[in-house]
Amino acid sequence: WLKEGLAQEKIKLGKKGPEVYPISVQPWDMPGYKIPGGDPHGKGGGQVFTIGNATLHKQTHGNFPAQRYIMSCVYEGLQVPMEAGIRIETRYFTKLLMDPRSKAMIRSLFLSMQELAKGARRPAGVAPFQVKKLGILGAGMMGAGIAYVSAQAGMEVVLLDTDQANAEKGKAYSEKLLKKALERGKTTEEKAGKLLGLITPTTNYDDLKGCDLVIEAVFENRDIKAEVTKKSEPMLAEGGIYGSNTSTLPITGLAEASAKPDNFIGIHFFSPVDKMQLVEIIMGKKTSDETLAKAMDYVKQIRKTPIVVNDSRGFYTSRCFGTYVGEGIAMLGEGVPPAMIENVGKMTGMPMAPLALNDEVALDLAYKVREQTKKDLGDKYVSGPADGLLEEMVVKIGRVGKKAGKGFYDYPADGKKKLWPGLSDLVGKSLDPESLEVQELKNRFLYIQALEAARCFEEGVVTDVRDADVGAILGWGFAPWTGGPLSLIDMVGAKEFVEACDRLAQKYGPRFTPSKLLREMASKGETFYGRFAPNKEKAAA
């Protein structure tokens, strides 16, 4: 009867004999029901909530409302009858929906991300393009990662380097990833062997013949990039395109080495390529819409999310990312205790602390990029507060980051990394932590990035609010709870944001000065998603 749904009653054996209840009565409605693990004030339950609450704050730093509300409604709901508990849960859910952080995250991490992944920015009228054979110039970490994800998508990959041993080493990166996948049961020997068979390590440019796409991933040096471009471009198949994986050098300048600059485009990956979801596609001045469409089709083939930006030094992601790590060095130079800088950086919701992130990227790389920028801009270069300290670390004392075992941190072979004790002596001053406002430090980290994102939008480097926000979160890990830097400005309010930045500019320098666009939006009470809504034109039509 129970299986057929015919029973109207159920029987519980009590101490005084059988007790009959309606079939609709749930276990928690029965007399003597005990909560599994104990109630919130019991020994077991109390420990669960105490430890759970500590873990929650450690992981989220209070930035994500959903997790906190879940803990709250469970804690409160377990202390009242079920019907009252459900009402409590409903109220928390409604409160969550009304939270601007929820709206921002849903928009950027769900709606916008899906739209971009499906080709929302792809030019219309261009026939679908499929990369069957891919050439990669440079078998370092980036080239090796691109080879892996491309072979994973079924492409024939030619991995070229100046030395055969280096090319083989690049292929070995895929072997290493596949070995881990096999150990975890995520692939089979047959599939792994097939993927490795698609990657051909070589030093011969003739092996590139017939490539639908060639991606250059060599050192950030114009001369080297120009040389490999001239050697490899003639090997492209008819209708093939050429992409550069540069992270900072302007595409228009690199395209000068190309015989077909309309087929030349920036395809900027992020490390590690197999884990990072974003690909930043950069349009040079002569890049055609057809080339853009083909590049986006390739990104779709490897199942990553593309954003489209226009040419600029550092493009979008590198420009904005640099402000975060640079602000950490600036704080250090002011005498803010290093541990406080790192803790506050993580409290903002960024995935890594700024000084640790500087070490990961490599201080000498940042220094070289800065020197190249100074050389290119000449008198137009504006020095920042981090410049002097960066030069001191790299040039004078040779602490260049994690790869050398010494940077802002020490990296002992037999233990965990720790902040270098000599930082305080290097700076020569140390502020009292009690005299510093944590919220102001958090704002400095977030607002300096949002300001640069707004400048990129005003300059036309980024032309779609979705690209700006999704690119920030996927590209350099901008605090996801904000929905992205432009969403953060909308959340704070343009007027309030501009006023806060003006105060920071007076105290810390012109880098916090709001742009003309932000002041205009502040005066009119506008938002980025109101004034520049991506579907606005379609709606009007």
Side-chain angles (χ1 to χ4, degrees):
W1 282 17
L2 285 170
K3 288 182 180 179
E4 296 175 6
L6 298 176
Q8 301 297 313
E9 298 175 330
K10 60 183 176 182
I11 299 173
K12 176 186 176 184
L13 291 176
K15 293 181 179 180
K16 297 181 179 180
E19 300 173 0
V20 181
Y21 298 94
I23 196 69
S24 60
V25 173
Q26 298 298 322
W28 48 81
D29 294 320
M30 308 282 275
Y33 173 75
K34 293 183 179 180
I35 299 169
D39 64 68
H41 298 295
K43 183 178 179 181
Q47 288 180 342
V48 168
F49 281 99
T50 301
I51 296 171
N53 194 44
T55 303
L56 173 67
H57 283 276
K58 178 184 176 182
Q59 298 294 332
T60 69
H61 300 287
N63 291 320
F64 296 89
Q67 292 86 339
R68 183 160 61 88
Y69 292 172
I70 289 170
M71 288 282 286
S72 295
C73 71
V74 173
Y75 179 80
E76 295 171 25
L78 288 176
Q79 301 180 64
V80 296
M82 178 57 71
E83 289 75 14
I86 292 174
R87 287 196 298 273
I88 289 171
E89 183 177 0
T90 302
R91 288 169 182 166
Y92 270 113
F93 183 68
T94 303
K95 185 179 180 181
L96 178 65
L97 289 179
M98 300 299 289
D99 194 304
R101 291 172 292 182
S102 300
K103 179 181 178 181
M105 284 190 282
I106 291 169
R107 181 176 59 206
S108 295
L109 299 173
F110 182 69
L111 300 174
S112 295
M113 197 178 294
Q114 283 196 13
E115 290 164 3
L116 294 177
K118 291 177 181 178
R121 300 297 315 283
R122 187 185 190 277
V126 180
F129 180 73
Q130 184 177 19
V131 176
K132 295 180 180 178
K133 183 177 181 180
L134 171 71
I136 301 172
L137 310 180
M141 278 295 292
M142 294 301 290
I146 297 168
Y148 175 75
V149 297
S150 299
Q152 204 174 33
M155 300 174 200
E156 178 186 349
V157 178
V158 177
L159 185 58
L160 186 145
D161 209 301
T162 54
D163 181 86
Q164 186 64 31
N166 289 338
E168 296 286 354
K169 185 179 178 181
K171 181 175 180 177
Y173 180 76
S174 292
E175 294 175 355
K176 180 181 177 182
L177 293 178
L178 289 168
K179 183 180 179 181
K180 287 183 179 179
L182 281 167
E183 291 172 352
R184 296 170 183 172
K186 293 185 177 181
T187 189
T188 63
E189 291 281 1
E190 183 182 354
K191 289 179 180 178
K194 185 178 179 180
L195 190 154
L196 289 173
L198 290 171
I199 303 174
T200 303
T202 184
T203 60
N204 191 349
Y205 278 85
D206 288 339
D207 291 336
L208 296 172
K209 287 180 180 177
C211 281
D212 302 298
L213 168 64
V214 167
I215 297 177
E216 165 269 302
V218 301
F219 294 114
E220 291 287 272
N221 179 287
R222 279 196 182 83
D223 295 334
I224 296 175
K225 288 180 182 291
E227 180 184 348
V228 300
T229 298
K230 291 172 181 177
K231 287 182 178 179
S232 59
E233 193 178 51
M235 303 298 171
L236 283 168
E238 185 177 351
I241 63 172
Y242 190 96
S244 175
N245 179 54
T246 180
S247 59
T248 56
L249 299 177
I251 293 300
T252 302
L254 296 179
E256 291 175 0
S258 170
K260 298 179 179 178
D262 56 321
N263 288 346
F264 196 105
I265 195 166
I267 305 177
H268 178 207
F269 288 84
F270 297 80
S271 184
V273 178
D274 54 291
K275 293 181 180 178
M276 297 297 281
Q277 185 62 27
L278 186 74
V279 177
E280 184 179 31
I281 299 179
I282 306 105
M283 296 285 286
K285 286 184 179 179
K286 296 183 179 180
T287 306
S288 68
D289 282 351
E290 181 179 353
T291 299
L292 171 59
K294 289 178 177 180
M296 294 190 76
D297 286 347
Y298 162 69
V299 174
K300 187 175 181 180
Q301 271 185 265
I302 59 175
R303 297 179 181 177
K304 293 192 181 293
T305 302
I307 63 168
V308 181
V309 305
N310 290 317
D311 203 11
S312 166
R313 180 172 300 280
F315 316 126
Y316 172 61
T317 54
S318 295
R319 271 181 66 172
C320 297
F321 165 76
T323 63
Y324 172 61
V325 291
E327 197 62 24
I329 300 177
M331 288 181 184
L332 184 64
E334 294 165 13
V336 179
M340 190 172 188
I341 294 171
E342 299 297 78
N343 287 332
V344 172
K346 288 185 286 187
M347 287 168 66
T348 64
M350 295 295 291
M352 281 191 72
L355 300 181
L357 194 51
N358 268 294
D359 276 3
E360 290 284 341
V361 174
L363 300 179
D364 58 335
L365 176 60
Y367 177 75
K368 289 174 184 176
V369 170
R370 191 200 72 171
E371 290 301 296
Q372 182 66 56
T373 304
K374 287 173 67 176
K375 181 180 177 181
D376 291 346
L377 296 182
D379 294 338
K380 293 182 180 179
Y381 177 77
V382 179
S383 61
D387 287 6
L389 192 52
L390 182 64
E391 184 170 348
E392 183 89 10
M393 290 285 288
V394 174
V395 180
K396 295 185 179 180
I397 58 178
R399 297 188 69 91
V400 299
K402 185 179 179 180
K403 65 180 182 180
K406 55 181 183 178
F408 290 117
Y409 283 77
D410 281 327
Y411 298 86
D414 57 348
K416 292 183 178 181
K417 69 179 183 182
K418 56 183 179 180
L419 282 162
W420 177 42
L423 281 177
S424 297
D425 294 333
L426 178 68
V427 174
K429 53 184 174 181
S430 181
L431 299 175
D432 179 5
E434 296 296 328
S435 69
L436 299 170
E437 295 182 24
V438 172
Q439 188 58 52
E440 182 180 85
L441 295 177
K442 289 169 67 175
N443 287 348
R444 285 177 63 179
F445 278 130
L446 292 176
Y447 287 14
I448 195 70
Q449 297 176 75
L451 279 168
E452 194 64 28
R455 289 190 193 104
C456 287
F457 199 90
E458 184 171 1
E459 294 170 14
V461 177
V462 185
T463 58
D464 191 298
V465 287
R466 295 171 297 184
D467 285 338
D469 279 345
V470 172
I473 295 172
L474 295 185
W476 74 89
F478 186 81
W481 63 268
T482 65
L486 300 188
S487 285
L488 172 64
I489 296 173
D490 283 357
M491 194 185 303
V492 174
K495 184 175 182 293
E496 290 78 4
F497 182 81
V498 165
E499 290 173 352
C501 288
D502 279 334
R503 289 193 296 271
L504 291 173
Q506 289 177 357
K507 194 171 181 180
Y508 299 106
R511 66 185 182 278
F512 284 102
T513 302
S515 64
K516 181 181 177 181
L517 174 62
L518 283 172
R519 293 195 186 282
E520 182 184 318
M521 291 174 63
S523 66
K524 296 180 180 179
E526 293 177 324
T527 64
F528 278 99
Y529 277 87
R531 178 170 172 173
F532 305 104
N535 297 318
K536 207 170 187 179
E537 293 181 6
K538 293 181 181 179

CSV table of all heavy atoms in Angstrom, one decimal, residues 271-289:
chain,number,residue,atom,x,y,z
A,271,SER,N,47.7,32.5,-17.7
A,271,SER,CA,48.4,31.3,-17.2
A,271,SER,C,47.8,30.9,-15.8
A,271,SER,O,47.5,31.8,-15.0
A,271,SER,CB,49.9,31.7,-17.0
A,271,SER,OG,50.6,30.5,-16.6
A,272,PRO,N,47.7,29.6,-15.6
A,272,PRO,CA,47.9,28.5,-16.5
A,272,PRO,C,46.8,28.3,-17.5
A,272,PRO,O,45.6,28.4,-17.1
A,272,PRO,CB,48.0,27.3,-15.6
A,272,PRO,CG,47.2,27.6,-14.4
A,272,PRO,CD,47.3,29.1,-14.2
A,273,VAL,N,47.1,28.1,-18.8
A,273,VAL,CA,46.1,28.1,-19.9
A,273,VAL,C,45.1,27.1,-19.7
A,273,VAL,O,43.9,27.3,-20.0
A,273,VAL,CB,46.8,28.0,-21.2
A,273,VAL,CG1,45.8,27.9,-22.4
A,273,VAL,CG2,47.8,29.1,-21.5
A,274,ASP,N,45.4,25.9,-19.2
A,274,ASP,CA,44.5,24.8,-19.0
A,274,ASP,C,43.4,25.1,-18.0
A,274,ASP,O,42.3,24.5,-18.0
A,274,ASP,CB,45.2,23.5,-18.7
A,274,ASP,CG,46.1,23.6,-17.5
A,274,ASP,OD1,47.1,24.3,-17.6
A,274,ASP,OD2,45.8,23.0,-16.4
A,275,LYS,N,43.7,26.1,-17.0
A,275,LYS,CA,42.7,26.4,-16.0
A,275,LYS,C,42.0,27.7,-16.2
A,275,LYS,O,40.9,27.9,-15.7
A,275,LYS,CB,43.5,26.4,-14.6
A,275,LYS,CG,44.0,25.0,-14.2
A,275,LYS,CD,44.6,25.1,-12.8
A,275,LYS,CE,45.2,23.7,-12.4
A,275,LYS,NZ,45.9,23.8,-11.1
A,276,MET,N,42.7,28.7,-16.8
A,276,MET,CA,42.1,30.0,-16.9
A,276,MET,C,41.1,30.0,-18.1
A,276,MET,O,41.4,29.6,-19.2
A,276,MET,CB,43.2,31.0,-17.1
A,276,MET,CG,44.1,31.2,-16.0
A,276,MET,SD,43.3,31.7,-14.5
A,276,MET,CE,43.2,33.5,-14.8
A,277,GLN,N,39.9,30.5,-17.8
A,277,GLN,CA,38.8,30.5,-18.7
A,277,GLN,C,38.8,31.6,-19.8
A,277,GLN,O,38.2,31.4,-20.8
A,277,GLN,CB,37.5,30.5,-17.9
A,277,GLN,CG,36.2,30.3,-18.8
A,277,GLN,CD,36.2,28.9,-19.5
A,277,GLN,OE1,36.7,28.0,-19.0
A,277,GLN,NE2,35.5,28.9,-20.6
A,278,LEU,N,39.5,32.7,-19.5
A,278,LEU,CA,39.4,33.8,-20.4
A,278,LEU,C,40.4,33.9,-21.5
A,278,LEU,O,41.6,33.4,-21.3
A,278,LEU,CB,39.5,35.1,-19.5
A,278,LEU,CG,39.3,36.4,-20.3
A,278,LEU,CD1,37.8,36.6,-20.5
A,278,LEU,CD2,39.9,37.6,-19.5
A,279,VAL,N,40.0,34.4,-22.6
A,279,VAL,CA,40.9,34.8,-23.7
A,279,VAL,C,40.6,36.2,-24.1
A,279,VAL,O,39.5,36.5,-24.5
A,279,VAL,CB,40.8,33.8,-24.9
A,279,VAL,CG1,41.8,34.3,-26.0
A,279,VAL,CG2,41.2,32.4,-24.5
A,280,GLU,N,41.6,37.1,-24.1
A,280,GLU,CA,41.4,38.5,-24.4
A,280,GLU,C,41.8,38.6,-25.9
A,280,GLU,O,43.0,38.4,-26.3
A,280,GLU,CB,42.3,39.4,-23.5
A,280,GLU,CG,42.1,40.9,-23.8
A,280,GLU,CD,43.0,41.7,-22.8
A,280,GLU,OE1,44.1,41.2,-22.5
A,280,GLU,OE2,42.6,42.8,-22.5
A,281,ILE,N,40.9,39.0,-26.7
A,281,ILE,CA,41.2,39.2,-28.2
A,281,ILE,C,41.3,40.7,-28.5
A,281,ILE,O,40.5,41.5,-28.1
A,281,ILE,CB,40.0,38.6,-29.0
A,281,ILE,CG1,39.9,37.1,-28.8
A,281,ILE,CG2,40.3,38.9,-30.5
A,281,ILE,CD1,38.8,36.4,-29.5
A,282,ILE,N,42.5,41.0,-29.1
A,282,ILE,CA,42.8,42.4,-29.3
A,282,ILE,C,42.8,42.8,-30.7
A,282,ILE,O,43.5,42.2,-31.6
A,282,ILE,CB,44.2,42.8,-28.7
A,282,ILE,CG1,44.3,42.3,-27.2
A,282,ILE,CG2,44.5,44.2,-28.8
A,282,ILE,CD1,45.1,41.1,-27.0
A,283,MET,N,42.0,43.8,-31.1
A,283,MET,CA,41.9,44.3,-32.4
A,283,MET,C,43.0,45.4,-32.7
A,283,MET,O,43.1,46.4,-32.0
A,283,MET,CB,40.6,44.9,-32.7
A,283,MET,CG,39.4,44.0,-32.6
A,283,MET,SD,39.3,42.9,-34.0
A,283,MET,CE,38.6,44.1,-35.2
A,284,GLY,N,43.8,45.1,-33.7
A,284,GLY,CA,44.8,46.2,-34.2
A,284,GLY,C,44.0,47.1,-35.1
A,284,GLY,O,42.9,46.9,-35.4
A,285,LYS,N,44.7,48.2,-35.4
A,285,LYS,CA,44.0,49.3,-36.3
A,285,LYS,C,43.6,48.7,-37.6
A,285,LYS,O,42.6,49.2,-38.2
A,285,LYS,CB,44.9,50.5,-36.5
A,285,LYS,CG,45.1,51.3,-35.2
A,285,LYS,CD,45.9,52.6,-35.5
A,285,LYS,CE,46.0,53.4,-34.2
A,285,LYS,NZ,46.9,54.6,-34.4
A,286,LYS,N,44.3,47.7,-38.1
A,286,LYS,CA,44.0,47.2,-39.5
A,286,LYS,C,43.3,45.8,-39.4
A,286,LYS,O,43.0,45.2,-40.5
A,286,LYS,CB,45.2,47.1,-40.3
A,286,LYS,CG,45.8,48.5,-40.6
A,286,LYS,CD,47.0,48.4,-41.6
A,286,LYS,CE,47.6,49.8,-41.9
A,286,LYS,NZ,48.8,49.7,-42.8
A,287,THR,N,43.1,45.3,-38.2
A,287,THR,CA,42.5,43.9,-38.1
A,287,THR,C,41.1,44.0,-38.6
A,287,THR,O,40.3,44.8,-38.3
A,287,THR,CB,42.5,43.5,-36.6
A,287,THR,OG1,43.8,43.5,-36.1
A,287,THR,CG2,42.0,42.1,-36.5
A,288,SER,N,40.7,43.0,-39.5
A,288,SER,CA,39.4,43.0,-40.1
A,288,SER,C,38.4,42.3,-39.2
A,288,SER,O,38.8,41.5,-38.3
A,288,SER,CB,39.5,42.2,-41.4
A,288,SER,OG,39.7,40.8,-41.2
A,289,ASP,N,37.1,42.5,-39.4
A,289,ASP,CA,36.1,41.9,-38.7
A,289,ASP,C,36.1,40.4,-39.0
A,289,ASP,O,35.7,39.6,-38.1
A,289,ASP,CB,34.7,42.5,-39.1
A,289,ASP,CG,34.4,43.8,-38.4
A,289,ASP,OD1,35.2,44.2,-37.5
A,289,ASP,OD2,33.4,44.4,-38.7
